[in-house]
């Protein structure tokens, strides 16, 4: 604990992060724990409920952990490319008709891929040609020679060209004699051979292009006197930054990555659980929806009642007009009858 406190004091000497972030987070966590503990104590009555809740919690924890692990593994395999690709280089040359030997430079065509892109875009690669050369007098007298390579895409377009010099490592006659005497039992029984591995780095920082992926490599050794056992092409990813850490420290990076995923998944899960377990917002939404529905229904009823009142008023107006007309007709008839009666009396 003393070391942890010392590291925390170095990272946060004034306590700003602890006061503004860790302390509120700790208080929120403890309050949530107390809230759900009390809530669980109030609701858990029987053993069946307890077992059911334990099963649900265990299932949720398993899903969260496996989700964090799956996210890290998927990210690892998508972010980290294959570290090395090795292809054999089968050298070909023209032999001399009049004398034994090589009459052309040894060269070879190496097919990297045919269907899919082999190298990752944006990742730097080192491309080497390894030559296994015997320590023969001819190779010792050869001196320096050139090794060239052409990188071409699926349309045979040149994407990179490089030539590098190489030579057999020098060893004095005394050193060769001593090593031969010391290693003679291994040499006799075939456990050791007098050869040297000569690595020739052709590209130290080669990056693949998205639109022109490399599919073929043409290798040439510019020497007619060279002797070799085998030649191989090695393409190695040169990791930097996060890829370097994830590849060279897989346990540490996995622990940090899974812990980070677990932290964010738990935050999302806790917030979602708190949101859905608190049903107050559901009641408020239901009441709001019911109130809105009642208001719409009331407005529709008011509109229908107003139209109905207008119809009644129009009917009342027609009825009053008819009543006045009928009253006028009755008065006319009464006046005529009085006139006729006066004439008859006279």
């Amino acid at each position: 604990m003393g070391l942890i406190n010392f590291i925390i004091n170095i990272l946060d000497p004034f306590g700003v992060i602890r006061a503004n972030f860790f302390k509120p987070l700790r208080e929120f966590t403890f309050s949530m724990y107390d809230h759900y503990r009390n809530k669980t104590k109030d609701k858990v009555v029987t053993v069946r409920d307890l077992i059911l809740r334990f099963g649900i919690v265990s299932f949720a924890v398993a899903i969260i952990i496996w989700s964090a692990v799956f996210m890290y593994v998927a990210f690892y395999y998508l972010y980290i490319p294959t570290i090395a690709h090795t292809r054999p280089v089968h050298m070909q040359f023209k032999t001399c008709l009049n004398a034994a030997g090589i009459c052309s430079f040894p060269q070879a065509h190496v097919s990297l891929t045919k269907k899919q892109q082999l190298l990752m875009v944006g990742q730097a690669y080192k491309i080497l040609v390894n030559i296994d050369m015997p320590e023969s007098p001819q190779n010792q007298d050869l001196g320096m020679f050139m090794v060239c390579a052409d990188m071409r895409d699926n349309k045979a377009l040149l994407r990179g060209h490089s030539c590098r010099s190489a030579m057999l490592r020098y060893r004095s006659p005394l050193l060769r004699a001593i090593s031969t005497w010391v290693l003679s039992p291994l040499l006799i029984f075939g456990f050791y051979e007098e050869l040297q591995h000569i690595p020739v780095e052709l590209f130290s920082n080669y990056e693949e292009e998205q639109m022109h992926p490399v599919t073929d490599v043409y290798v040439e050794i510019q020497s007619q006197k060279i002797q070799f056992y085998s030649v191989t092409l090695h393409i190695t990813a040169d990791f930097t930054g996060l890829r370097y850490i994830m590849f060279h420290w897989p346990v540490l990076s996995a622990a940090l990555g899974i812990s980070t995923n677990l932290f964010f998944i738990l935050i999302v899960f806790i917030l979602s659980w708190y949101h859905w377990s608190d049903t107050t917002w559901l009641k408020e939404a239901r009441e709001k929806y019911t109130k809105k529905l009642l208001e719409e229904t009331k407005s529709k009823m008011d509109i229908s009642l107003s139209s109905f009142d207008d119809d009644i008023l129009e009917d009342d107006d027609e009825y009053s007009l008819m009543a006045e007309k009928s009253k006028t007709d009755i008065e006319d008839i009464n006046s005529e009858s009085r006139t006729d009666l006066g004439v008859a009396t006279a």
Side-chain angles (χ1 to χ4, degrees), residues 329-340:
D329 294 338
I330 292 170
E331 289 178 354
D332 292 338
I333 292 170
N334 290 331
S335 62
E336 288 178 359
S337 63
R338 290 193 191 99
T339 306
D340 294 338

Side-chain angles (χ1 to χ4, degrees), residues 216-284:
D216 302 277
V217 181
Y218 295 88
V219 181
E220 183 181 55
I221 300 177
Q222 296 181 354
S223 176
Q224 296 181 359
K225 297 181 180 181
I226 188 172
Q227 295 177 341
F228 52 83
Y229 289 132
S230 63
V231 180
T232 55
L233 177 68
H234 290 268
I235 301 176
T236 307
D238 187 14
F239 292 144
T240 56
L242 182 60
R243 287 193 176 103
Y244 183 86
I245 296 173
M246 293 179 67
F247 183 79
H248 289 89
W249 289 281
V251 178
L252 177 62
S253 61
L256 292 176
I258 293 173
S259 300
T260 305
N261 294 335
L262 191 62
F263 175 73
F264 287 105
I265 292 174
L266 280 174
I267 289 178
V268 174
F269 180 78
I270 290 172
L271 293 177
S272 301
W273 189 9
Y274 178 75
H275 181 69
W276 286 103
S277 62
D278 189 5
T279 57
T280 305
W281 66 276
L282 288 174
K283 295 179 181 179
E284 293 178 354

